[in-house]
Amino acid sequence: MIPLPLARVAEITSGALSGMADPRAVVRGPVVIDSRAVEPGSLFVAIKGARADGHDFAAEAIKAGAVAVLATRPVEVPAVIVTDIFAALAALGTAVAAALPAATAIGITGSAGKTTTKDLLARLTARMGPSIAPVGSFNNEIGHPLTVMKADHETRFLVLELSARYVGDIAHLARVAPPRIGVVLNVGTAHLGVFGGKEAIAQAKGELVEALPSDGVAVLNADDPLVRQMASRTAARVTYFGRGEDAAVRAEDVVIDERGRASFTLRTPSGAAHVALRLYGEHVVENALAAAAAAYELGLPVATIAEELSEAEPRSKWRMEVTESPNGVTVVNDAYNANPDSMRAAFHTLDVLGKGRRRFAVIAALRELGEESDELNEGVGRLAGASGLSGLVVAGPGAEPMLRGAFAAVEAAEQAAVEGLGAGGGPELRQGPPIVHVADAEAAAAQVSAWLRPGDVLLVKGPRAMNLQRTAELVLGRATK
């Protein structure tokens, strides 16, 4: 972070010094929202959440070395008192970004794959200079400015995720650190219920390209029609990535190995190179191409791009983490979040990774899908029920549509088997897999552990609120109380 005296912090945030705060005291960072992360020179931001109020930890933060607390009420320690904590964070992030004209901001958005793309692109930009990128998915009105404030005068690249729950959110985040390159991955079904339809989601995601300057670059997915249409909404130059021949940066000759990892020829306007990803899932090809296209626009040679993509390991937790348990079970922990599109990608990866092996899954009802929630959850249940699983666990509330879909898929498969036998051939008749509903992540771990044996593969995937990463940790023997 660039050093900021408290007087300057108060000026930027339209705040008032309180609690004997010294206006000459300098915040040198980091700016944090968790008192346990405070370091000498920090600014502690007191956010009142559903479970805890940061104001209650103000004294603890000062004792740990924070220069002051950014708060909305007096806290009896040095503080900057503001009216709106989120507006204050945005103002501080904006001020830091404006003070770093040599840094190039790159924004990434989409319904799925933002974090993986961000991690890959951050690795690529690091080959060209000091880069800042968010940890995990710091991509909202809190995490976005906190990430920007990590930058200093040495920073050359800011690789940023921009998420949206409502129209206008991405436009707001883009004002904090105006991007010169904007990457749009896809328009899917995440938060469908909040937005009301894919067209509204496209409207929100397209705010990123609208924020680009005329000398900037919009990097768009050529394979997604709603993303392609965003070309008309930007003054920036447009380039495309994808699988088709009309994409400037594209993947050719894609091959998926027995572990579910993709290799392909990365084709660019100035040459080609071979990429062999270590990340799991064919859907990651899209993320790799997006990162490659942005890095290519920044001037990184295609050979270097391919080398870095081929060496990249997962950086962010609970996204297609593939781990072997001590007793020989392969656990695919993709529990960070879920929507219908990412569910399909996860089951496709499970099908490849688990070929010739017994496969199991723990899933949970998807949320924020609006009026289509029951239909979409039933569709995911049908997908799971038709995936050749040896056992399925659906965890948590709202599971009825998902269970209904799973049972329907199994019944249809059994009926097809009966009809095949009646015709004098066809598949061997067998009973469908057990399908069990449990209350929570702990119960899911107990149920699936009773089924698992060495050589099996387990997929764990669901919405973040269900905490299904704990299921994976319990199965792997890594869980803590």
Side-chain angles (χ1 to χ4, degrees):
M1 179 180 177
I2 59 175
L4 292 174
L6 279 185
R8 177 62 177 146
V9 172
E11 179 185 8
I12 292 169
T13 61
S14 300
L17 297 179
S18 171
M20 304 291 289
D22 181 356
R24 298 167 297 178
V26 178
V27 174
R28 301 183 183 279
V31 179
V32 298
I33 58 174
D34 186 339
S35 61
R36 296 168 295 184
V38 166
E39 300 175 12
S42 286
L43 178 68
F44 173 61
V45 182
I47 294 177
K48 185 176 181 180
R51 298 182 180 178
D53 186 345
H55 295 80
D56 297 336
F57 301 91
E60 179 182 317
I62 295 297
K63 185 177 180 180
V67 175
V69 177
L70 187 67
T72 56
R73 65 173 188 264
V75 286
E76 298 183 353
V77 294
V80 178
I81 309 300
V82 298
T83 302
D84 184 330
I85 206 79
F86 302 111
L89 275 174
L92 283 171
T94 302
V96 169
L100 303 173
T104 298
I106 307 159
I108 301 168
T109 195
S111 295
K114 294 184 294 296
T115 298
T116 300
T117 304
K118 173 264 301 180
D119 289 343
L120 291 172
L121 184 54
R123 182 183 178 103
L124 293 169
T125 58
R127 286 292 296 260
M128 295 178 281
S131 301
I132 295 293
V135 176
S137 293
F138 262 38
N139 57 20
N140 61 11
E141 72 275 15
I142 299 173
H144 185 73
L146 287 177
T147 299
V148 173
M149 283 185 277
K150 290 182 178 181
D152 58 25
H153 292 293
E154 301 298 318
T155 302
R156 281 196 60 197
F157 301 100
L158 283 163
V159 183
L160 304 168
E161 284 187 56
L162 291 84
S163 69
R165 290 179 60 84
Y166 302 99
V167 171
D169 285 352
I170 289 177
H172 166 72
L173 297 179
R175 287 191 289 271
V176 173
R180 296 191 66 79
I181 295 179
V183 180
V184 185
L185 299 172
N186 44 56
V187 175
T189 51
H191 308 304
L192 186 64
V194 175
F195 285 103
K198 291 185 72 170
E199 290 73 18
I201 295 173
Q203 182 63 35
K205 302 302 182 187
E207 291 169 5
L208 175 57
V209 300
E210 291 177 344
L212 297 172
S214 58
D215 60 348
V217 182
V219 180
L220 304 181
N221 185 352
D223 300 331
D224 188 318
L226 289 175
V227 175
R228 286 189 72 110
Q229 291 173 14
M230 294 178 192
S232 64
R233 295 171 57 184
T234 184
R237 179 169 58 83
V238 175
T239 188
Y240 295 101
F241 66 91
R243 301 282 189 103
E245 292 186 0
D246 60 338
V249 175
R250 60 187 182 271
E252 298 176 346
D253 304 320
V254 178
V255 176
I256 309 300
D257 70 13
E258 70 281 357
R259 298 285 290 172
R261 298 168 299 191
S263 61
F264 57 92
T265 298
L266 174 65
R267 180 75 58 183
T268 73
S270 60
H274 181 71
V275 174
L277 295 174
R278 299 183 183 182
L279 306 179
Y280 293 86
E282 185 175 359
H283 61 284
V284 180
V285 173
E286 175 186 272
N287 309 140
L289 288 175
Y296 181 81
E297 289 295 332
L298 291 168
L300 198 63
V302 63
T304 304
I305 294 172
E307 174 188 342
E308 291 295 334
L309 291 177
S310 298
E311 294 179 358
E313 301 279 359
R315 287 190 180 187
S316 298
K317 296 191 299 182
W318 312 330
R319 293 169 176 83
M320 279 293 161
E321 289 183 356
V322 179
T323 308
E324 299 292 330
S325 74
N327 60 353
V329 173
T330 301
V331 178
V332 183
N333 182 356
D334 197 33
Y336 180 78
N337 216 340
N339 59 59
D341 300 319
S342 66
M343 276 287 192
R344 282 188 287 273
F347 273 99
H348 176 70
T349 300
L350 177 64
D351 184 53
V352 175
L353 185 61
K355 187 175 182 180
R357 305 162 68 183
R358 296 202 314 160
R359 287 163 285 153
F360 298 85
V362 175
I363 59 178
L366 307 181
R367 306 182 182 189
E368 298 185 348
L369 297 177
E371 294 180 357
E372 298 182 50
S373 180
D374 284 359
E375 180 182 351
L376 290 171
N377 272 298
E378 185 171 336
V380 171
R382 287 182 178 274
L383 170 68
S387 294
L389 298 176
S390 296
L392 172 67
V393 176
V394 181
E400 290 78 10
M402 193 169 275
L403 289 166
R404 186 166 60 245
F407 281 117
V410 170
E411 183 179 350
E414 290 177 345
Q415 182 62 35
V418 169
E419 293 173 355
L421 286 174
E428 179 183 350
L429 180 62
R430 67 177 181 85
Q431 186 177 1
I435 300 172
V436 179
H437 178 218
V438 299
D440 53 32
E442 287 79 5
Q447 177 61 68
V448 78
S449 293
W451 294 336
L452 292 168
R453 57 180 189 246
D456 292 343
V457 184
L458 170 65
L459 169 68
V460 182
K461 186 163 182 64
R464 192 179 319 167
M466 272 305 300
N467 199 32
L468 288 186
Q469 71 274 3
R470 181 161 176 79
T471 301
E473 291 164 356
L474 285 165
V475 171
L476 289 167
R478 296 178 175 179
T480 57
K481 293 183 179 178

